[in-house]
Amino acid sequence: MGNKPTIAISHLGCEKNRIDSEHMLGLLAKAGYPVDNDEELADYVIVNTCSFIQAAREESVRTLVELAEANKKIIISGCMAQHFQDELLTELPEAVAIVGTGDYQKIVEIVERVETGERVKEVSTDPTFIADENLPRYRTTSEGVAYLRVAEGCDYRCAFCIIPQLRGDQRSRSIESIVAEARQLASQGVQELILISQITTNYGLDLYGEPKLAELLRALAEVDIPWIRVHYAYPTGLTPKVIEAIRESPNVLPYLDLPLQHSHPDILRAMNRPWQGRVNDGIIERIKQAIPNAVLRTTFIVGFPGETEEHFSHLLEFVKRHEFDHVGVFTFSAEEGTAAFDLPDPVPQAIMDERRERLMLTQQPISERKNQAYIGQTVDVLIEQENPETGELIGRSARFSPEVDGLVYVTGEAILGAIVQVRITAADTYDLYGEIV
């Protein structure tokens, strides 16, 4: 083992990318490679890149350039490697390998080839791979949390999105495979499982001929994990069957992440969203009626080409009317290779930024009011961090998903990775404050 090079991974991008990083770490560790958190000490640095929007690519490029200037041998993986493989090889002589989104499972063989002096390009043009419970995995999240990928790729072709070109069409894992991995994670002490894919409500469509999210949730309800959270749920896929499974499965949280992107039918049609304008036909109201305690999170894109002030006003009113618990807002990013790249009537960046600000300001009092409603209540909180200087604990209630929502700042004593009862004593726009009872 002593003669094997040391490898570090620099992880960029989404939680789907994170799982790829975790599998690469697991495979390398199993093969006897020393894995180090410190990029300076490592012989090779794998940069798992993101290419979803311009800002993500800029962060990836910055990371690559810094490592190149430090004379590091770089292995580039992830969406940007899939997207710009030839450009990266040309521009970065320090890149010893390029690894596509459907090829990260070959990482050990790729490192072995690099060690012989070969410059490796391992990029499947049409990714078809999806990892199962048998592929080694080294988790990089806090001990209480794990992401669980139920499917990879996407069959939709939204005008702004490059993901299907980078990750291929949807391919679902079997219910048995997902449950087996969930049981493994439960045995490691995981308290919260977050189900992810590009469109989780379409889970199983390719494999079983119809969506099987309801059946999957019922199967996972048998696993000894207190919190199961669903990300990327398209509202049209929240059928009565799925809603019933959420309501009847005690460990499935009534938390729904609905990536709506806009409210105006004209913009949704231009975006080629799968349900066009149907978000206005009572679908949000029906979800709230069926799950009265539902926590609803959504994301919107402002400044899509052709978005007028009238379209944007529709979105503002939509946000006021529905009072979502959490809202993320992005400005449109024109991505080469997508249908929206050449659309007429682009919105100037200054107007996009101003609309983003207005939408966030509209949402803030709603979020604050929702948070303040919890003052005086006792809620379950998953403890994830401790401030070593103050002893203050930081965690999340079931209302908050990691990285994207708020935090709960807690006084008292608890072990990391435990779910404890906390009485909420104060709240602001994004976070809650309380004490262990």
Side-chain angles (χ1 to χ4, degrees):
M1 178 169 167
N3 57 0
K4 287 195 172 178
T6 303
I7 298 171
I9 289 192
S10 176
H11 162 77
L12 305 166
C14 67
E15 55 268 42
K16 293 176 274 294
N17 222 24
R18 179 191 289 277
I19 290 177
D20 300 348
S21 295
E22 292 180 346
H23 281 306
M24 285 192 281
L25 283 167
L27 285 161
L28 289 162
K30 187 182 178 191
Y33 285 88
V35 175
D36 201 304
N37 288 334
D38 191 337
E39 292 164 12
E40 284 186 27
L41 298 176
D43 298 301
Y44 292 96
V45 180
I46 298 170
V47 182
N48 200 6
T49 58
C50 178
S51 195
F52 184 52
I53 55 174
Q54 181 67 28
R57 278 202 302 280
E58 286 169 1
E59 185 190 7
S60 294
V61 168
R62 261 196 316 277
T63 304
L64 290 168
V65 168
E66 284 168 12
L67 289 165
E69 287 173 350
N71 292 319
K72 282 290 160 195
K73 290 184 274 194
I74 308 165
I75 295 172
I76 309 175
S77 66
C79 286
M80 201 168 166
Q82 188 78 25
H83 200 177
F84 298 107
Q85 47 200 276
D86 295 326
E87 294 94 322
L88 289 166
L89 282 171
T90 306
E91 296 291 325
L92 279 171
E94 295 82 3
V96 294
I98 296 276
V99 186
T101 58
D103 304 276
Y104 64 87
Q105 74 281 7
K106 305 171 191 165
I107 190 63
V108 171
E109 173 205 326
I110 288 163
V111 171
E112 286 168 356
R113 286 164 62 190
V114 164
E115 279 286 276
T116 68
E118 184 185 347
R119 196 178 195 207
V120 179
K121 178 179 163 186
E122 192 69 59
V123 182
S124 302
T125 50
D126 182 21
T128 56
F129 177 76
I130 181 165
D132 63 18
E133 74 280 11
N134 298 312
L135 199 70
R137 180 176 172 191
Y138 178 89
R139 282 192 299 115
T140 58
T141 43
S142 66
E143 50 249 70
V145 179
Y147 291 101
L148 181 53
R149 177 159 42 206
V150 301
E152 174 65 287
C154 185
D155 292 337
Y156 290 153
R157 296 296 181 264
C158 299
F160 54 81
C161 184
I162 194 82
I163 294 300
Q165 294 175 44
L166 304 183
R167 289 192 172 264
D169 290 334
Q170 178 171 302
R171 47 207 187 271
S172 302
R173 296 169 60 183
S174 70
I175 290 174
E176 292 77 11
S177 168
I178 296 165
V179 169
E181 187 171 2
R183 291 195 194 285
Q184 288 174 6
L185 293 164
S187 72
Q188 294 166 19
V190 166
Q191 302 289 302
E192 177 180 13
L193 212 49
I194 303 171
L195 307 186
I196 59 169
S197 69
Q198 264 66 36
I199 308 165
T200 309
T201 32
N202 273 11
Y203 162 73
L205 182 59
D206 54 302
L207 191 62
Y208 299 109
E210 60 179 339
K212 289 283 187 182
L213 180 59
E215 289 82 351
L216 175 63
L217 293 177
R218 289 186 186 280
L220 288 170
E222 304 297 317
V223 179
D224 186 18
I225 287 184
W227 290 357
I228 294 175
R229 190 185 300 274
V230 179
H231 270 206
Y232 312 111
Y234 277 45
T236 44
L238 292 168
T239 59
K241 208 166 138 187
V242 172
I243 285 170
E244 200 176 293
I246 292 169
R247 286 208 326 236
E248 293 179 2
S249 305
N251 57 351
V252 176
L253 300 176
Y255 175 104
L256 293 168
D257 169 43
L258 315 168
L260 298 179
Q261 311 310 1
H262 212 280
S263 63
H264 198 287
D266 293 353
I267 299 298
L268 288 165
R269 270 193 293 276
M271 287 178 167
N272 197 31
R273 295 296 278 164
W275 64 85
Q276 313 296 6
R278 285 178 56 196
V279 292
N280 299 292
D281 71 0
I283 205 162
I284 309 294
E285 290 87 344
R286 287 198 296 278
I287 292 167
K288 286 182 171 181
Q289 204 175 349
I291 312 175
N293 60 338
V295 175
L296 299 185
R297 170 183 178 76
T298 189
T299 48
F300 296 113
I301 295 171
V302 295
F304 191 81
E307 184 190 55
T308 63
E309 189 58 36
E310 185 190 342
H311 294 137
F312 178 68
S313 296
H314 187 281
L315 181 56
L316 282 179
E317 290 306 313
F318 184 84
V319 166
K320 285 179 193 168
R321 184 168 75 252
H322 290 304
E323 299 197 326
F324 297 97
D325 293 79
H326 313 291
V327 172
V329 187
F330 299 89
T331 55
F332 171 72
S333 174
E335 298 305 312
E336 202 169 342
T338 64
F341 185 69
D342 296 318
L343 283 180
D345 305 318
V347 177
Q349 186 66 47
I351 292 177
M352 288 203 270
D353 291 341
E354 183 260 345
R355 286 179 183 170
R356 179 183 184 276
E357 182 72 9
R358 274 161 68 197
L359 191 52
M360 295 290 278
L361 287 172
T362 300
Q363 173 62 27
Q364 279 170 2
I366 299 169
S367 293
E368 187 155 1
R369 196 164 62 248
K370 297 248 181 191
N371 272 356
Q372 286 181 338
Y374 282 82
I375 294 174
Q377 290 191 31
T378 298
V379 300
D380 285 343
V381 173
L382 173 58
I383 302 296
E384 296 189 283
Q385 304 169 51
E386 181 179 7
N387 183 326
E389 289 170 20
T390 63
E392 182 182 48
L393 300 169
I394 304 172
R396 288 176 297 104
S397 72
R399 289 185 65 241
F400 297 147
S401 199
E403 317 255 334
V404 290
D405 299 330
L407 296 168
V408 186
Y409 293 88
V410 179
T411 55
E413 287 187 22
I415 58 169
L416 295 181
I419 293 176
V420 296
Q421 289 208 304
V422 173
R423 193 173 69 82
I424 303 302
T425 54
D428 58 28
T429 307
Y430 298 113
D431 301 318
L432 297 173
Y433 304 82
E435 53 200 21
I436 292 173
V437 294

